[in-house]
Amino acid sequence: MNKNVIFFLTGLDSGGLENYLLRFLKENGFTFNNIIIYCKGGKGGVLEDEYLKLPNVRIIKKNLGTFNIIKFFKLYLWFRNYNKYTVCDFTGNFSGPILFASKIANINNRIVFYRSSSNRFPETFFRLKINSFYHKLVKKYATNILANSAYAFEFFFGKNYSDFRTKVIYNGINAKELLQETEGIQTELNIDNNTIVIGHTGRYNPAKNHGTIIKVAEVVVRKYANAIFVLCGKGVVENLQSIVKKRGLESRIILFENRNDIPKVLNTFDIYYFPSITEGQPNSLIEAWIKGIPFIASNIPPIENITPLKYKSYLVDPLDIQLNIDSIGKLIDKRWNNNERHELADFAIEEFSADKRFREFRDII
């Protein structure tokens, strides 16, 4: 039987969550009669048009604020017209008021989905108090508590937390769609087959650790004359262009904003570099794995827990700049063979199958 659903998220800029939901709806949207995307930050984003191309999708943009009783009362009144819907909020603890308002409006299916494994806000006394209160609302009013990593549950609920409502659902990625693109952007970059391309995809954000990326890139490209770095993501040019230009490395550290041809960008990379400080479960890294790209990534628990044993030696402390430089250098000096690439790709294609992982999510909605 087809269903109705309201998804709550902050906005529709290009990020891991926003792309996850877009992919999910592209493959599973047909199972819903009505889909409402509620941007509770009050703004849409660069993916808004992509969402509106999907059938049965309506977007609402209203700023609910963090602690605004009047706005949440109005939301409760609005919910009363949608009590045959499922509510799914992707903002972790901050879904608490939404779950409460939907509960008293007699909405029976109320889902929270934790998409990060740490707090994504400045931890002031006041914010932490609000966060703690909202967490209590989540535990009381959610009918399902989901996360995309076991570490997220451990961080937000404690190591020994046990609840029949909880479930880890890994990200799902359509490998066929990713792998059908075979071309790269070597011509656009004006490089030849002897150039070693170290790449990163991800929007500019403190969690993505672009400061370390630039410091590492500067040393690596000066040491290896045939190496370049390519960074791609929202805010990358705006925040890094002046730094790269000041260091005279515009031709060696190439910056792009959002691109709609990420599979082609990945095909260009010889090494994927992902030194995030915190993550939920990184779509970008998994996409690189599906492509079989040699990688250096953070040894943080959400990444370490999904990395096959054979490849754990490629995980490093994201803040140890010299270790990051040395690790990339080792991959430049000793390339992976085809077996290593294929084994990583086969693992990622199976483990993060869109059919399997999206079905797990769809069945709960």
Side-chain angles (χ1 to χ4, degrees):
M1 182 176 71
N2 286 350
K3 306 173 183 178
N4 305 307
V5 61
I6 308 168
F7 293 109
F8 281 84
L9 58 170
T10 302
L12 292 175
D13 274 332
S14 183
L17 159 59
E18 297 81 5
N19 281 302
Y20 170 83
L21 182 57
L22 181 61
R23 288 169 175 160
F24 172 77
L25 292 177
K26 281 182 176 179
E27 299 202 18
N28 295 271
F30 65 91
T31 64
F32 302 101
N33 282 331
N34 296 285
I35 302 165
I36 297 175
I37 308 295
Y38 200 116
C39 300
K40 63 182 186 178
K43 298 179 180 178
V46 297
L47 294 178
E48 189 170 345
D49 288 343
E50 292 298 311
Y51 274 89
L52 289 174
K53 291 176 184 176
L54 302 173
N56 307 319
V57 167
R58 178 159 63 101
I59 296 174
I60 295 175
K61 293 175 279 186
K62 287 189 177 181
N63 188 347
L64 295 179
T66 300
F67 197 73
N68 190 310
I69 295 175
I70 294 175
K71 288 183 177 181
F72 282 108
F73 179 73
K74 289 181 178 179
L75 179 67
Y76 152 72
L77 295 177
W78 181 80
F79 272 146
R80 291 173 64 181
N81 298 313
Y82 294 91
N83 58 11
K84 300 300 182 185
Y85 279 63
T86 288
V87 165
C88 178
D89 193 308
F90 289 100
T91 62
N93 287 341
F94 285 87
S95 67
I98 279 82
L99 299 177
F100 170 65
S102 58
K103 164 64 177 177
I104 62 175
N106 295 317
I107 292 176
N108 293 324
N109 202 20
R110 303 175 302 276
I111 303 167
V112 57
F113 204 150
Y114 286 81
R115 304 291 303 177
S116 65
S117 58
S118 63
N119 291 324
R120 295 291 183 90
F121 59 85
E123 294 186 340
T124 64
F125 176 81
F126 182 64
R127 285 177 178 267
L128 287 171
K129 285 295 182 183
I130 293 176
N131 183 57
S132 176
F133 173 62
Y134 285 174
H135 181 63
K136 292 175 182 177
L137 294 180
V138 168
K139 290 199 290 186
K140 186 169 184 178
Y141 295 110
T143 56
N144 296 90
I145 303 173
L146 312 178
N148 61 357
S149 73
Y151 185 73
F153 278 132
E154 184 177 324
F155 179 86
F156 289 107
F157 291 87
K159 214 165 195 177
N160 300 315
Y161 186 78
S162 178
D163 193 318
F164 71 93
R165 297 172 296 170
T166 62
K167 183 177 178 64
V168 174
I169 298 179
Y170 283 169
N171 291 351
I173 295 177
N174 187 327
K176 183 178 180 181
E177 186 178 279
L178 194 63
L179 294 172
Q180 67 185 6
E181 178 60 74
T182 57
E183 295 183 359
I185 61 169
Q186 287 87 347
T187 301
E188 179 182 346
L189 295 175
N190 193 27
I191 59 176
D192 58 29
N193 292 333
N194 293 320
T195 303
I196 299 167
V197 183
I198 301 107
H200 177 274
T201 52
R203 61 181 167 185
Y204 184 87
N205 184 289
K208 300 298 182 184
N209 200 15
H210 282 89
T212 291
I213 293 175
I214 293 298
K215 290 175 183 177
V216 169
E218 181 175 8
V219 175
V220 170
V221 298
R222 295 193 192 283
K223 181 177 180 180
Y224 296 90
N226 61 335
I228 67 170
F229 275 70
V230 174
L231 313 183
C232 177
K234 178 178 173 59
V236 165
V237 173
E238 177 185 352
N239 288 280
L240 298 178
Q241 190 172 45
S242 61
I243 299 172
V244 171
K245 186 174 182 179
K246 183 177 180 180
R247 298 180 185 182
L249 294 171
E250 303 100 305
S251 64
R252 309 293 303 283
I253 302 177
I254 316 300
L255 308 175
F256 292 108
E257 284 291 302
N258 281 325
R259 294 185 64 121
N260 58 8
D261 59 350
I262 291 300
K264 292 179 70 172
V265 174
L266 290 174
N267 287 341
T268 312
F269 293 170
D270 297 292
I271 297 170
Y272 191 80
Y273 181 39
F274 199 76
S276 290
I277 297 170
T278 181
E279 285 286 345
Q281 190 176 77
N283 277 326
S284 299
L285 179 60
I286 295 169
E287 288 174 348
W289 286 0
I290 288 172
K291 288 285 191 178
I293 304 172
F295 68 95
I296 297 297
S298 304
N299 62 356
I300 57 176
I303 293 178
E304 187 172 21
N305 291 347
I306 63 171
T307 303
L309 180 62
K310 178 176 180 178
Y311 299 91
K312 287 189 186 291
S313 61
Y314 299 102
L315 304 181
V316 299
D317 180 343
L319 298 178
D320 188 330
I321 293 173
Q322 189 58 52
L323 179 58
N324 282 249
I325 293 167
D326 294 342
S327 298
I328 290 174
K330 288 177 183 177
L331 275 184
I332 292 175
D333 294 333
K334 187 179 183 301
R335 308 294 183 86
W336 279 14
N337 59 45
N338 286 335
N339 284 340
E340 289 174 299
R341 290 173 175 267
H342 290 316
E343 285 181 24
L344 179 63
D346 290 344
F347 161 79
I349 290 169
E350 170 62 25
E351 187 73 358
F352 305 101
S353 160
D355 287 343
K356 178 168 59 178
R357 300 308 180 187
F358 286 158
R359 189 186 315 118
E360 291 177 325
F361 184 35
R362 185 188 68 216
D363 289 348
I364 289 173
I365 298 174

